[in-house]
Amino acid sequence: MRKHLSLLAASLAAAIALTACGGAGKSDDTTSSNGEENTRIVVGASPVPHARILEYVRDNLAAKAGIEVEIREFDDYVLPNSTLADGTLDANYFQHLPYLEAEIADKGYRFSHGEGIHIEPYALFSSKFGSAAEVTDGATVAITNDASNQYRALKLLEKAGLLTDVTEGTSVLTLTPEQNPRGLTFEENQPEIIIQVKDDPAVDLAIINGNFILTAGLSTEGALEVEEVAGNPYANFLTWRTDDAKPAVAKLDELLHSDEVKEFIRSQWPNGDVTPA
């Protein structure tokens, strides 16, 4: 009798163990409409427009493609790459090629990236002047301290007729009197801070990244000057670790280039504040 009870107990224990293992396996995955297991990935992104675009993919396209997307939002341009490098993220979506190349050169990241998904044009704002023609000599400009975007900002000032002969590598520290005939002065700061000082009495002009324009509820329609979109080299893309390229990341990159996403971008930002690449 004891032998029979022992065998029964062992069988029950084995059954429970198998059930527990099966349950644990399903807790990490869900099932897509075609019956295949989804693969879960964690993606870091700026809140607007990147996270909003990812939310559209997550809610409308991901399950059918067999992936599950978790979105983590970042308000700065440093953490998305450092947390990708340490393995916290599987991919990020917030940056363009000049910025990524500068980050790789500075920090030694081993990252790869997809093709451009969208462009957010840089814009020049002022709470004091109604047009670039009204800007007075010696005006103070709030500008990013990020080298790749600072060149971009200086080119926008050149487009507005406030600087001349800006060449690649030009910075606020190397501008000559010939390049800066209006004697503009510059206050460098982190890009996420520029939007906060836009209306500061000490600031006459502020050059703001597109995603921070959107986060603040502004529009390029209220800007003095806006960057051209045609031929723009600053398209944002998906980035991942070179030595850990997950198939689900490749599938997400494919979805981000789909016609559905392009149409979503056009419908959400019809004035061109975000434009498909």
Side-chain angles (χ1 to χ4, degrees), residues 18 47 54-55 57 60 66 69 79-80 83 108-109 122 135 157 160 189 208 242 250 253 261:
L18 287 171
L54 287 173
E55 286 170 358
V57 171
N60 297 277
V69 181
L79 287 175
T83 52
Y109 293 136
Y122 239 37
V135 175
L157 289 172
N189 218 320
I208 306 173
T242 302
D253 190 48
V261 167

Side-chain angles (χ1 to χ4, degrees), residues 208-273:
I208 306 173
N209 294 60
N211 60 297
F212 292 120
I213 293 171
L214 298 172
T215 301
L218 300 175
S219 169
T220 55
E221 292 177 346
L224 303 189
E225 193 69 52
V226 182
E227 188 177 50
E228 293 288 346
V229 172
N232 192 306
Y234 298 102
N236 287 196
F237 45 58
L238 196 68
T239 303
W240 56 87
R241 290 184 301 280
T242 302
D243 60 357
D244 188 23
K246 294 185 175 182
V249 172
K251 176 58 67 174
L252 174 61
D253 190 48
E254 180 182 331
L255 294 176
L256 285 168
H257 290 89
S258 66
D259 290 340
E260 292 92 337
V261 167
K262 290 177 182 177
E263 182 54 37
F264 172 76
I265 292 172
R266 293 189 187 102
S267 66
Q268 291 297 302
W269 298 281
N271 63 352
D273 283 350

Side-chain angles (χ1 to χ4, degrees), residues 106-162:
D106 183 43
K107 298 169 184 172
Y109 293 136
R110 297 188 66 235
F111 292 164
S112 298
H113 65 87
E115 295 297 320
I117 299 163
H118 78 270
I119 296 163
E120 309 150 42
Y122 239 37
L124 176 65
F125 287 87
S126 177
S127 59
K128 297 182 180 180
F129 305 112
S131 69
E134 297 175 13
V135 175
T136 56
D137 291 354
T140 298
V141 183
I143 194 169
T144 180
N145 59 4
D146 159 39
S148 65
N149 279 318
Q150 188 173 106
Y151 168 69
R152 184 182 181 186
L154 294 174
K155 290 296 288 183
L156 184 60
L157 289 172
E158 182 180 36
K159 180 174 181 282
L162 299 172

Side-chain angles (χ1 to χ4, degrees), residues 4 27 40 83 89 104 107 119 137 150 182-183 187 190 193 195-196 198 210 221 228 243 254 272:
H4 288 306
S27 68
R40 178 177 173 274
T83 52
L89 303 175
I104 290 173
K107 298 169 184 172
I119 296 163
D137 291 354
Q150 188 173 106
R182 305 287 298 277
E187 289 190 4
Q190 293 169 293
I193 300 298
I195 190 70
Q196 300 174 25
K198 168 183 167 290
E221 292 177 346
E228 293 288 346
D243 60 357
E254 180 182 331

Side-chain angles (χ1 to χ4, degrees), residues 80-121:
N81 277 337
S82 64
T83 52
L84 175 60
D86 70 19
T88 303
L89 303 175
D90 297 304
N92 66 41
Y93 173 34
F94 79 102
Q95 62 194 324
H96 53 61
L97 185 58
Y99 182 79
L100 176 60
E101 289 178 336
E103 284 274 278
I104 290 173
D106 183 43
K107 298 169 184 172
Y109 293 136
R110 297 188 66 235
F111 292 164
S112 298
H113 65 87
E115 295 297 320
I117 299 163
H118 78 270
I119 296 163
E120 309 150 42

